[in-house]
């Protein structure tokens, strides 16, 4: 044990910190939030338990770092969706598909990020810190909503208001799908998410044909990428 601690002391701090976050992400993905324990994570990282306390204060601090990692990944996913097409309607539906895909690949992480699962017996060490990173992901959505507004496609002139409605719509769909409520749908995106998103855009003033075409274009690109 002493030898391992000596190794920890001589390792680069950034490298050790990232290794612990990697280990925590892996334990969360494979075993769920109940196993997010200092001993379990430090063993996975090949470190001592004291290293967790040194870098994060406690396991709550480490969980905050996991949440930050999750939001960074989600932000990248949304940015890729925004870059996939010049049409803001296509961008927004591509973001919905990206967020859904992220949640499906990382169900425990998604739940932890949005407070849908407990952190075991641990409390967040700084509840407002993850909110900052949520805002970075959310800002990608707001920018595409701003493009929708400046293009004159909707009646609402506040992109933040549009983004809040769309985020709520997608988050609700993702959460219900994860809970198995759409298990009887052969394609929940086609039968639930797409029509709901189109109806939302039409409800704030977009043309139905254009909104539908944007959803179909994004869905076709997503399907082709999934097949590849």
């Amino acid at each position: 044990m002493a030898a391992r601690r000596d190794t920890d002391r001589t390792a680069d701090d950034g490298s050790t910190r990232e290794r612990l976050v990697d280990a925590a992400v892996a334990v969360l993905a494979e075993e769920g939030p109940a196993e997010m324990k200092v001993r379990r994570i430090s063993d996975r990282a090949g470190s001592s338990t004291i290293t967790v306390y040194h870098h994060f204060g406690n396991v709550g601090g480490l969980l905050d770092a996991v949440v930050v990692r999750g939001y960074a990944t989600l932000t990248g996913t949304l940015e890729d969706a925004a870059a996939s097409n010049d049409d803001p309607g296509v961008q927004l539906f591509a973001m919905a598909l990206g967020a859904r895909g992220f949640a499906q690949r990382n169900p425990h992480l998604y739940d932890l990020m949005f407070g849908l699962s407990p952190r075991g017996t641990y409390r967040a060490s700084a509840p407002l810190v993850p909110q900052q990173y949520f805002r970075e992901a959310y800002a990608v959505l707001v920018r595409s909503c701003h493009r929708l507004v400046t293009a004159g496609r909707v009646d609402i002139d506040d992109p933040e208001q549009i983004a809040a409605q769309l985020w709520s719509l997608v988050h609700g769909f993702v959460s219900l799908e994860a809970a198995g409520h759409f298990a009887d749908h052969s394609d929940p995106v086609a039968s639930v998410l797409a029509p709901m998103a189109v109806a939302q855009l039409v409800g704030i003033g977009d043309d139905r044909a254009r909104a539908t075409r944007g959803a179909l274009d994004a869905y076709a690109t997503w399907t082709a990428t999934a097949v590849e």
Side-chain angles (χ1 to χ4, degrees):
M1 183 65 71
R4 189 166 66 180
R5 291 181 180 178
D6 289 341
T7 300
D8 287 336
R9 291 193 186 99
T10 58
D12 174 73
D13 277 355
S15 170
T16 302
R17 182 183 176 87
E18 287 305 300
R19 192 170 73 250
L20 287 166
V21 175
D22 289 343
V25 169
V27 171
L28 178 63
E30 295 170 14
E31 303 178 39
E35 291 304 312
M36 299 296 283
K37 302 170 183 175
V38 172
R39 173 64 66 186
R40 183 73 188 84
I41 294 167
S42 61
D43 284 349
R44 180 67 177 253
S47 299
S48 62
T49 55
I50 196 65
T51 310
V52 174
Y53 297 110
H54 170 72
H55 285 281
F56 300 99
N58 53 38
V59 79
L62 177 54
L63 288 174
D64 284 344
V66 170
V67 169
V68 168
R69 169 78 68 82
Y71 278 123
T73 303
L74 179 58
T75 299
T77 298
L78 298 181
E79 289 173 339
D80 288 344
S84 67
N85 197 287
D86 292 333
D87 185 321
V90 178
Q91 292 173 5
L92 290 168
F93 196 72
M95 287 184 205
L97 293 171
R100 177 202 185 224
F102 172 84
Q104 289 182 322
R105 293 188 300 272
N106 309 279
H108 292 306
L109 178 57
Y110 186 90
D111 286 354
L112 190 65
M113 289 164 59
F114 291 98
L116 301 179
S117 67
R119 292 170 169 238
T121 59
Y122 305 101
R123 295 180 180 273
S125 61
L128 297 181
V129 173
Q131 184 66 19
Q132 167 196 341
Y133 293 91
F134 164 78
R135 293 299 303 181
E136 292 179 3
Y138 188 66
V140 183
L141 176 63
V142 173
R143 287 195 290 271
S144 286
C145 290
H146 183 264
R147 297 185 188 104
L148 201 68
V149 170
T150 56
R153 288 179 49 173
V154 293
D155 299 329
I156 299 177
D157 60 4
D158 182 358
E160 285 270 1
Q161 182 180 348
I162 299 170
Q165 293 175 11
L166 293 177
W167 190 283
S168 300
L169 180 153
V170 173
H171 179 64
F173 170 82
V174 166
S175 301
L176 288 170
E177 184 180 34
H181 292 294
F182 303 135
D184 57 341
H185 291 253
S186 59
D187 187 346
V189 171
S191 61
V192 181
L193 180 59
M196 183 167 55
V198 169
Q200 180 68 25
L201 289 177
V202 172
I204 59 175
D206 201 8
D207 175 74
R208 179 173 293 277
R210 183 167 48 192
T212 301
R213 187 169 58 251
L216 290 174
D217 288 349
Y219 191 37
T221 300
W222 175 80
T223 303
T225 302
V227 169
E228 292 172 3

